[in-house]
């Protein structure tokens, strides 16, 4: 099994180019099922999750071709509407094929998804929305079975904002008869990117990026070429790594309009953050200031940056409180950071008190999920001595060649 080994203490210096966003690419690739023709995608990151959804689309009968960071999908000859457990269990985002399959083919059978062990992420909001659009939903031996002669537009309210739920129903509504209104929708940049792509394919989606999205159904969609937006979480991870190592890094291609919550918190720690046409530059400071974090749906501070920022607060002067409001099991990384000398106390399940220490110490640690992996990498970069991170397959789900990118910034890091 592969591991990442880091000899800490090197200040990160230089430039790094941000990859395309995993969380934008996955729904975009799934949306190709709506089109009887070839859809081309550029700036696709080379990640395990991307490979997983490509395998799933191939299994459904789509022609999937890829070269470098470009992928083309032709779903003209899709002959299967069942997403098998062995393909779905690896990644929760597989649920994103449900809406497109029902919308275009009138039926879908999708295994209940797997993924990271960071808490319950129920799909009931997806299913209630499809039922409101006229689909019949059954659960059979762990599979979701959805059928509808043709979906019908409706006014749908999400009890809580859900990113994949918003994406699934938005895709389904593009081919529904009439108008669908999604209320209390997620507002993430990835939602806006999907809406823009669907409109390029001939859909009529209005209001993405706000809490109310209106979709006027059309009879069919057409081929298009779509570019994936930059990954704000990868960019944020590099910015925090630069701050934690007191380095100086320009993240090229990062979009500051997508990263307000991250940039604001970095500045509260005293870290210098400069925004230019090239991207975002971070210059770390010796005396890192403490600040409190509360994860919230976009445009609040992202839950996907909580673990990484906790490392920075572990090195700050003073005490910080981290309040996780999105997932109930997203402090699994705390035990591993404690092994490296972090002073963190959990309270009430979703609060962590972080007392800054002078330095972290290298240790053997175990990655539990994607973003926890990234936090351990940052901790290893900032720590004294050698850190070995086990189970790094998690990090390959969401970070493209992270050890190579960090090595280009002067990190002493290798995969073993």
């Amino acid at each position: 099994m592969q591991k990442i080994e880091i000899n800490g203490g090197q200040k990160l210096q230089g430039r790094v180019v941000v990859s395309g966003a995993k969380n934008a690419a996955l729904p975009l690739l799934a949306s190709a099922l709506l089109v009887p023709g070839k859809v081309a995608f550029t700036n696709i990151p080379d990640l395990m999750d991307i490979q997983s959804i490509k395998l799933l689309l191939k299994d459904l009968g789509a022609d999937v071709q890829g070269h470098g960071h470009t992928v083309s999908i032709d779903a003209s000859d899709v002959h299967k509407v069942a997403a098998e457990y062995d393909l779905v269990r690896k990644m929760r985002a597989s649920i994103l094929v449900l809406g497109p399959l029902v919308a275009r083919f009138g039926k879908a059978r999708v295994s209940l998804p797997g993924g990271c062990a960071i808490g319950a992420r129920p799909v009931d909001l997806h299913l209630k929305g499809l039922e409101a659009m006229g689909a019949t939903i059954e659960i059979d031996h762990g599979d979701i079975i959805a059928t509808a002669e043709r979906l019908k537009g409706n006014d749908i309210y999400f009890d809580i904002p859900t990113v994949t739920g918003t994406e699934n129903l938005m895709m389904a509504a593009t081919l529904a008869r009439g108008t669908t209104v999604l209320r209390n929708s997620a507002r993430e940049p990835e939602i806006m990117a999907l809406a823009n792509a669907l409109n390029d394919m001939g859909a009529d989606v209005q209001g993405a990026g706000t809490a109310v999205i209106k979709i006027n159904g059309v009879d069919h969609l057409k081929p298009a070429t779509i570019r994936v937006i930059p990954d704000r979480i990868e960019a944020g991870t590099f910015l925090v790594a630069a701050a934690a190592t007191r380095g100086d890094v320009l993240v090229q291609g990062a979009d500051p309009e997508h990263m307000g919550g991250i940039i604001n918190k970095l500045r509260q720690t005293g870290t210098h953050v400069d925004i230019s046409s090239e991207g975002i530059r971070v210059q770390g400071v010796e005396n890192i200031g403490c600040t409190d974090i509360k994860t919230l749906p976009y445009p609040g501070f992202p839950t996907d940056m909580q673990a990484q920022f906790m490392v920075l607060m572990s090195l700050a002067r003073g005490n910080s409180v981290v309040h996780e409001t999105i997932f109930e099991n997203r402090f699994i990384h705390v035990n591993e950071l404690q092994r490296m000398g972090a002073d963190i106390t959990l309270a009430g399940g979703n609060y962590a008190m972080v007392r800054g220490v002078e330095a972290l110490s290298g240790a053997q640690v175990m990655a539990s999920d994607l973003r926890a992996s990234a936090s351990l990498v940052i901790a290893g970069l900032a720590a004294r001595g050698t850190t070995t991170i086990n189970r790094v397959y998690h990090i390959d789900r969401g970070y493209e060649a992270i050890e190579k990118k960090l090595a280009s910034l002067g990190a002493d890091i290798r995969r073993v």
Side-chain angles (χ1 to χ4, degrees):
M1 185 174 292
Q2 292 185 339
K3 306 175 184 181
I4 287 179
E5 188 177 273
I6 304 169
N7 293 316
Q10 306 297 319
K11 293 184 178 182
L12 298 185
Q13 307 270 355
R15 298 169 175 238
V16 64
V17 178
V18 67
S19 298
K22 173 184 84 94
N23 289 337
L26 292 172
L28 287 173
L29 294 174
S31 75
L33 289 170
L34 294 164
V35 182
K38 183 183 290 187
V39 184
F41 302 94
T42 63
N43 201 34
I44 293 284
D46 184 11
L47 303 169
M48 282 178 57
D49 276 10
I50 297 296
Q51 299 306 318
S52 293
I53 200 162
K54 285 164 65 177
L55 287 172
L56 174 55
L57 293 171
K58 285 182 180 179
D59 187 64
L60 295 174
D63 179 20
V64 181
Q65 303 292 330
H67 178 71
H69 292 97
T70 298
V71 173
S72 67
I73 299 173
D74 189 337
S76 299
D77 297 324
V78 166
H79 56 269
K80 182 179 176 183
V81 294
E84 305 293 348
Y85 172 74
D86 282 345
L87 295 170
V88 171
R89 66 182 174 83
K90 302 174 184 177
M91 182 183 61
R92 293 196 60 87
S94 302
I95 193 68
L96 288 166
V97 303
L98 178 64
L101 287 173
V102 178
R104 184 170 161 215
F105 301 103
K107 185 172 183 179
R109 184 179 188 118
V110 180
S111 292
L112 288 165
C116 285
I118 58 173
R121 292 186 278 185
V123 298
D124 61 309
L125 298 180
H126 305 230
L127 306 185
K128 288 177 182 177
L130 288 173
E131 283 183 320
M133 296 171 71
T136 299
I137 305 293
E138 301 175 56
I139 306 296
D140 180 51
H141 298 287
D143 289 351
I144 301 164
I145 302 173
T147 55
E149 185 174 337
R150 183 175 179 184
L151 295 173
K152 301 177 181 64
N154 205 340
D155 198 302
I156 297 167
Y157 178 82
F158 293 112
D159 292 336
I160 56 173
T162 162
V163 175
T164 54
T166 300
E167 291 166 341
N168 231 339
L169 296 188
M170 186 164 62
M171 288 188 285
T174 61
L175 296 180
R177 183 182 292 111
T179 298
T180 301
V181 180
L182 305 178
R183 303 185 186 275
N184 198 26
S185 297
R187 295 182 284 167
E188 274 73 1
E190 295 79 12
I191 300 286
M192 291 183 278
L194 176 60
N196 290 337
L198 292 170
N199 287 338
D200 287 344
M201 298 173 194
D204 183 358
V205 181
Q206 305 165 23
T210 74
V212 180
I213 301 175
K214 180 180 177 182
I215 307 103
N216 295 310
V218 299
D219 290 332
H220 62 272
L221 298 182
K222 64 183 191 303
T225 298
I226 311 298
R227 181 171 176 82
V228 178
I229 61 174
D231 194 318
R232 60 194 173 97
I233 303 302
E234 184 199 41
T237 299
F238 283 117
L239 296 178
V240 171
T245 61
R246 282 81 167 180
D248 183 351
V249 172
L250 171 67
V251 182
Q252 292 181 278
D255 190 338
E257 291 191 8
H258 296 169
M259 300 176 61
I262 300 168
I263 292 169
N264 178 55
K265 285 300 175 183
L266 279 169
R267 285 177 170 160
Q268 287 181 20
T269 70
T271 300
H272 302 296
V273 183
D274 295 311
I275 296 169
S276 69
S277 59
E278 286 190 275
I280 305 173
R281 180 184 179 187
V282 155
Q283 294 172 285
V285 294
E286 287 301 317
N287 295 322
I288 300 167
C290 58
T291 188
D292 295 339
I293 294 294
K294 182 178 182 179
T295 64
L296 290 166
Y298 187 86
F301 190 88
T303 182
D304 280 353
M305 282 299 302
Q306 177 257 107
Q308 300 92 308
F309 217 89
M310 188 181 285
V311 177
L312 186 62
M313 292 303 88
S314 295
L315 298 167
R317 297 200 169 213
N319 300 335
S320 306
V321 175
V322 177
H323 182 193
E324 173 59 57
T325 73
I326 307 298
F327 295 126
E328 72 275 13
N329 280 343
R330 208 155 203 185
F331 285 151
I332 305 175
H333 54 279
V334 168
N335 287 338
E336 303 305 298
L337 293 178
Q338 289 170 335
R339 286 174 51 78
M340 300 180 70
D343 187 351
I344 305 170
T345 303
L346 298 181
N350 59 351
Y351 285 90
M353 171 65 76
V354 186
R355 301 171 183 84
V357 297
E358 182 180 345
L360 298 175
S361 300
Q364 288 261 358
V365 291
M366 187 81 70
S368 56
D369 62 68
L370 171 54
R371 306 307 173 184
S373 303
S375 75
L376 297 177
V377 169
I378 295 172
L381 294 170
R384 296 170 178 169
T386 300
T387 298
T388 302
I389 305 169
N390 297 281
R391 292 171 64 183
V392 296
Y393 58 84
H394 284 294
I395 207 163
D396 294 330
R397 292 185 49 236
Y399 292 89
E400 183 176 1
I402 190 170
E403 73 278 9
K404 294 179 181 177
K405 289 188 175 184
L406 290 169
S408 75
L409 298 174
D412 186 354
I413 180 172
R414 67 195 55 82
R415 190 175 292 246
V416 296

